[in-house]
Amino acid sequence: MIEYNYLINDVLTKNVNALDSFTMFAFVILALILSLMIDIIFAELPTRIHPVVIVGSMISFFKNVFINFKSRLSGLFVVIGVCVLSAIILFIIYYITSINIVLLFIVFTILLSSTFSVNMLLQTAVDVENALKDNIDKARQLVSYLVSRKTDELTESFIVSAAIESLTENITDSYVAPVFYYFIFALIVLFYPFDNCLYFLLLVPMLYRIFNTLDAMLGYKTDELINIGFVPAKIDDILNYIPARISGIYVVMSAYMLKLDGKNAYRIMRRDARNCPSPNSGYTMATTAGALNIQLIKKETYILGDDNKDITADDISKAVKLSKLTIILFTITIILLLTLLYVIL
């Protein structure tokens, strides 16, 4: 018992920059697992302290500063301003909390959870399905929060399609991509540690969320945003290129495991994923359409999948289950890969 207490005290008082390899490995793995649990159980952080909300305020500020620059460089200036300011704020938080490894772990995990939106992603789709059973106008209103198209006259099939499109498109943005970049930098942290490496381990997924938010707020081809939104949109496309295709493969695997049409999911992904204006969003949407044997349609924009059967509200439940398993399988893969590489190397 004395030796055990000594070990615990040694960990608690150890300098963050002097953690041994196993403690660093445990930190990386547990932070990922607990951050996902926080997001699933508690959903989003309060608005006043949510990092994404704070970043949104920064984006609005820098947008107002540079919007009158009739050049695509205006978007680059916004990106630089938001990223630099966010990195400084994050470092201040890291510096204050790094006085104690437990305090740092708690804050680190909470902040990492803010880069995910799994709970909100799944629950919003369920809410649309429930609304369709009672009041189609309420369902139209809920869908209007998810998509940019007009929803006031959408029929049930188009409401279901919009809900499934939003759900599956955001598998990449809301979870797979930030965890993918967390994984990549975790490998560097574990095998090539350096001073303040945990700060950069957190900064990387936070930066992804910043770029994603920049695209969500500015990346539209309207007269106002056509210039300032160009750079944020391109950065978001680049960052999502690999994660989107990984997500598509995991949707296919999940379809097989749920006894859906996995073969068709892969076929439709290969055939229709590039039908969308975005180079990335189709990889999960088209795959889901194939797995469920339905057709997802955004009028005058894209058609994904074959019209094999009528699309109904029940398809939302199937899409939610498919998305859940995709997230679970990807998480297990990341944990197993990190563990295997740590043991081997």
Side-chain angles (χ1 to χ4, degrees), residues 38-272:
I38 289 171
D39 180 70
I40 291 173
I41 296 172
F42 300 104
E44 302 299 315
L45 295 173
T47 302
R48 291 183 179 180
I49 62 171
H50 200 300
V52 175
V53 176
I54 296 171
V55 166
S57 298
M58 293 182 199
I59 294 171
S60 296
F61 171 79
F62 284 107
K63 171 196 168 186
N64 292 334
V65 171
F66 296 111
I67 191 67
N68 292 323
F69 287 33
K70 302 302 180 182
S71 166
R72 289 176 175 177
L73 286 176
S74 60
L76 178 61
F77 295 148
V78 173
V79 168
I80 293 172
V82 173
C83 289
V84 169
L85 183 56
S86 299
I88 292 171
I89 293 173
L90 184 63
F91 186 78
I92 292 171
I93 295 172
Y94 169 83
Y95 183 79
I96 293 172
T97 57
S98 62
I99 59 173
N100 180 276
I101 188 63
V102 173
L103 176 60
L104 175 63
F105 179 79
I106 292 171
V107 174
F108 184 103
T109 303
I110 292 173
L111 289 176
L112 182 61
S113 74
S114 72
T115 66
F116 314 147
S117 295
V118 174
N119 182 294
M120 185 171 69
L121 178 68
L122 300 174
Q123 189 57 50
T124 303
V126 172
D127 290 343
V128 172
E129 180 184 9
N130 292 336
L132 278 170
K133 298 174 183 177
D134 301 321
N135 188 326
I136 193 169
D137 288 329
K138 182 180 178 181
R140 287 172 178 147
Q141 182 180 20
L142 289 173
V143 167
S144 71
Y145 303 143
L146 306 177
V147 296
S148 57
R149 72 199 76 167
K150 293 183 178 180
T151 63
D152 53 340
E153 295 183 358
L154 289 183
T155 62
E156 178 175 331
S157 63
F158 281 107
I159 292 172
V160 173
S161 179
I164 293 175
E165 291 165 49
S166 176
L167 167 66
T168 55
E169 177 184 4
N170 284 295
I171 290 173
T172 302
D173 295 353
S174 296
Y175 188 71
V176 172
V179 173
F180 172 77
Y181 289 109
Y182 178 85
F183 166 74
I184 295 299
F185 207 81
L187 294 178
I188 298 173
V189 167
L190 290 175
F191 301 114
Y192 303 99
F194 53 90
D195 286 353
N196 300 317
C197 59
L198 290 176
Y199 163 72
F200 290 98
L201 178 61
L202 180 58
L203 178 64
V204 168
M206 292 292 288
L207 284 177
Y208 169 80
R209 178 55 61 203
I210 289 169
F211 288 128
N212 188 245
T213 306
L214 279 159
D215 177 59
M217 293 181 65
L218 304 180
Y220 298 96
K221 295 181 179 180
T222 62
D223 291 340
E224 180 191 25
L225 301 176
I226 187 69
N227 286 317
I228 201 168
F230 179 81
V231 171
K234 291 304 178 183
I235 293 175
D236 187 70
D237 287 344
I238 293 169
L239 290 178
N240 280 322
Y241 188 87
I242 295 175
R245 285 147 183 81
I246 292 173
S247 299
I249 294 300
Y250 273 86
V251 173
V252 172
M253 291 191 294
S254 299
Y256 275 111
M257 293 182 69
L258 291 173
K259 300 187 184 302
L260 298 171
D261 199 336
K263 182 178 180 180
N264 193 50
Y266 182 72
R267 183 180 71 86
I268 297 298
M269 180 180 72
R270 291 286 302 273
R271 190 192 75 185
D272 292 351

Side-chain angles (χ1 to χ4, degrees), residues 313-326:
D314 290 338
D315 288 311
I316 296 179
S317 290
K318 295 176 184 177
V320 168
K321 291 179 182 177
L322 190 61
S323 300
K324 283 181 179 179
L325 186 55
T326 298

Side-chain angles (χ1 to χ4, degrees), residues 260-309:
L260 298 171
D261 199 336
K263 182 178 180 180
N264 193 50
Y266 182 72
R267 183 180 71 86
I268 297 298
M269 180 180 72
R270 291 286 302 273
R271 190 192 75 185
D272 292 351
R274 295 180 181 85
N275 289 355
C276 300
S278 164
N280 302 314
S281 61
Y283 280 87
T284 45
M285 292 194 295
T287 309
T288 301
L292 302 182
N293 273 299
I294 59 174
Q295 202 167 62
L296 300 176
I297 302 174
K298 182 177 181 180
K299 291 181 180 179
E300 301 179 357
T301 306
Y302 55 72
I303 298 176
L304 307 173
D306 297 322
D307 190 15
N308 294 327
K309 71 179 187 68

